Amino acid sequence: MTRKTVHLAVYDTFADWETGYTTAHLTQNGGTVRTVGLTTESVTTMGGVRIQPDLALDELRPEDSALLILTGASLWDTGDELAPFARKARAFLDAGVPVAAICGATAGLAREGLLDDRAHTSAVSFYLAATGYAGGARYVEADAVTDGGLITAGPTEPVAFAREVFGLLGVYGAEKLDAWYRLFHDSDASAYEVLAG
């Protein structure tokens, strides 16, 4: 991981639980997580937690980031308020900087056309089909999918989502990444030995 700063998009109705593994283990491994809002006004997550964004979306530049993370939120399905985050994701991908989207954020990317030509997943295929996007043939039934610089996952897969982020950014080598996943996804206590080694 050459660039150490990862940007986490935050907005009202942000799904708190979807990125906890990702952000905690990135920071424990030398990364920095900075939050990005539409503005720097505080937002309230789905769990009722107030977050003060570190910077506004229009200040965010792909060259200053290792990754943009977009989580689910009720707002992805109720209008266009979060569309600027999908447009920023396009700018990141166009600049060769990866993007990771989970849950409702995948619908935002579908509406932006970013899933039309990339393998991807989400909660279920018909959820994305309802956006009218053209990428249905590229939908994969999987916990999480990485295609080039884009990671997608469904809302029940925060551990698989984190695994894909860590793999893409080189946070852990293959053996440790597998052990990390077995520990947090499968509760496999034998994985502790690999992680401690």
Side-chain angles (χ1 to χ4, degrees):
M1 192 167 139
T2 52
R3 280 184 261 176
K4 300 276 187 175
T5 301
V6 169
H7 290 89
L8 173 65
V10 294
Y11 21 75
D12 286 328
T13 71
F14 166 95
D16 313 59
W17 64 93
E18 293 176 345
T19 60
Y21 290 101
T22 304
T23 56
H25 291 272
L26 284 172
T27 59
Q28 289 175 11
N29 286 280
T32 299
V33 177
R34 296 195 68 210
T35 54
V36 182
L38 278 173
T39 69
T40 55
E41 293 295 315
S42 66
V43 298
T44 303
T45 71
M46 206 174 283
V49 176
R50 292 181 62 77
I51 298 175
Q52 184 78 43
D54 294 314
L55 69 156
L57 188 62
D58 62 3
E59 300 173 285
L60 178 60
R61 302 177 323 151
E63 59 266 30
D64 297 331
S65 187
L67 174 74
L68 174 62
I69 301 172
L70 302 171
T71 69
S74 301
L75 291 177
W76 285 112
D77 298 320
T78 58
D80 294 330
E81 185 175 341
L82 300 184
F85 288 99
R87 288 193 293 275
K88 186 64 75 169
R90 177 179 292 285
F92 265 60
L93 292 168
D94 287 350
V97 179
V99 172
I102 186 168
C103 189
T106 61
L109 297 189
R111 288 185 198 96
E112 182 65 20
L114 295 174
L115 304 184
D116 291 351
D117 301 312
R118 293 176 173 92
H120 60 277
T121 195
S122 185
V124 290
S125 60
F126 59 81
Y127 171 65
L128 292 185
T131 68
Y133 84 129
R138 304 295 309 265
Y139 188 89
V140 179
E141 292 288 348
D143 295 343
V145 172
T146 300
D147 186 347
L150 180 64
I151 296 167
T152 52
T156 61
E157 297 301 333
V159 177
F161 182 70
R163 177 196 61 204
E164 297 300 304
V165 169
F166 303 154
L168 187 67
L169 296 181
V171 174
Y172 298 115
E175 186 180 12
K176 279 198 172 184
L177 183 60
D178 176 66
W180 182 92
Y181 184 72
R182 287 188 292 112
L183 177 63
F184 288 97
H185 188 265
D186 304 328
S187 300
D188 180 351
S190 70
Y192 274 117
E193 291 179 30
V194 177
L195 290 171

